[in-house]
Amino acid sequence: MLKTLIVSGVYGLKKPVAAAAQAMLVCMSLLFVSSPAFAQTQDAPMPPAMKPDPNAPVENPIINLLDRAPEPLFSDVILPSPYAPTRSSATDVASGLQEGALYLMAKLTADAKPLYDGLIWRIYSETTNTDGRLQLVATHKGGDAEFRLEPGSYLIHTAYGYAQSTNRIMIGKEVQSKMVTLNAGGIKFGASLKDGETIDGKPVSFDVYGLEFDERGERDLIASNVKPGSIVRLNADTYHVVSRYGDVNAVVRADVQVLPGKLTEATIFHKAAGITLKLVNERGGEAIANTTWSVLSPGGDVVVEATGAFPDFVLAAGEYEALARNNGRTYLHTFEVTPGEDREVEVVTSVSELSSQQATINN
């Protein structure tokens, strides 16, 4: 074939010119055939993909599947060979010729900068196992990621905190570069009393739920026991946030909207205070040990129970009754919780004190 190409290139020229041209073409063809670069292309693995320009228009974007019907469950067990590792290897020449190269990057929004840390990439084959789960092919943590994959259809699961995106892609033997847009933002949580005093250093936690209810009438829990000052990354949406101050009844609920590419600072205001109960023989006396406590609402419902000399709780603002049992006797004391005013509540055992309290109540 090479000889035919040379002859056809000099056909019709005069003999001296044709001879010179033929000699020159022969030399060039020999150099071309003997070139090491030409020889390497016959068996070298596919070169890595170029990083996509974040500002370039997206051609043939991968389709986000979050709004589609539920897909089969994902399996977190990575399949063995023949699937490729998360990073390409120049030593595996034979497999490199049979696989496609996929280079992935992610952004919060279409006009945001790429994320270079905090991402978790998972590649799933669309082939399900006997349990009906999609098979995990490869994973990568960090920022951008490169995968070598056999030709076929795959699902790309991208996670950034609790924000996530699932996309489908077809892999051939070519090199592809894709940018995933997460359409996500975040919430930074804080807690305060009504007068503005911060309670971030106290036992405050946040739970994040979706707005939709399942068939049992429950919301989908997304993040739990989040501490004040923490940032939770979420898909752009509206979420139901439940903040708890202590472990009893100081609970505040609110709906918070997360905007794409934005950090929303959500401060929850609590109307509550810390209360420590003491059973004493007289005002200012020593607490009596081995006391069983019940805190009742004005309607007589049990709010919390405990045993000990100094039980302490965080209670929502309002009126309560402290019921103390010790040595076969029961003592009752009504008290009020004022927002932000942590204090001790003494229940006395002396008859004179109890009579005085009863007279006050009657008046």
Side-chain angles (χ1 to χ4, degrees), residues 229-303:
S230 301
I231 296 176
V232 178
R233 300 160 179 151
L234 297 162
N235 290 102
D237 204 344
T238 301
Y239 297 88
H240 186 72
V241 177
V242 179
S243 177
R244 289 180 171 82
Y245 180 19
D247 300 322
V248 186
N249 65 343
V251 179
V252 178
R253 299 173 179 269
D255 291 341
V256 180
Q257 184 180 15
V258 176
L259 300 175
K262 304 294 183 180
L263 178 63
T264 301
E265 295 191 23
T267 300
I268 304 297
F269 292 91
H270 281 273
K271 297 180 180 180
I275 299 297
T276 300
L277 299 178
K278 293 173 59 178
L279 180 65
V280 295
N281 290 321
E282 58 183 1
R283 290 289 177 184
E286 293 292 331
I288 301 175
N290 301 321
T291 302
T292 301
W293 297 89
S294 295
V295 177
L296 309 178
S297 69
D301 297 325
V302 177
V303 178

Side-chain angles (χ1 to χ4, degrees), residues 29 44 81 84 122 134 156 170 233 235 240 248 272 277 303 334 337:
S29 63
S81 182
R122 294 181 177 91
L134 296 174
I156 303 170
M170 291 296 298
R233 300 160 179 151
N235 290 102
H240 186 72
V248 186
L277 299 178
V303 178
T334 301
V337 176

Side-chain angles (χ1 to χ4, degrees), residues 63-66 74 155-158 164-168:
I63 301 173
N64 196 325
L65 304 178
L66 287 178
F74 291 144
L155 293 178
I156 303 170
H157 184 268
T158 312
Q164 54 186 326
S165 174
T166 303
N167 302 279
R168 178 181 283 110

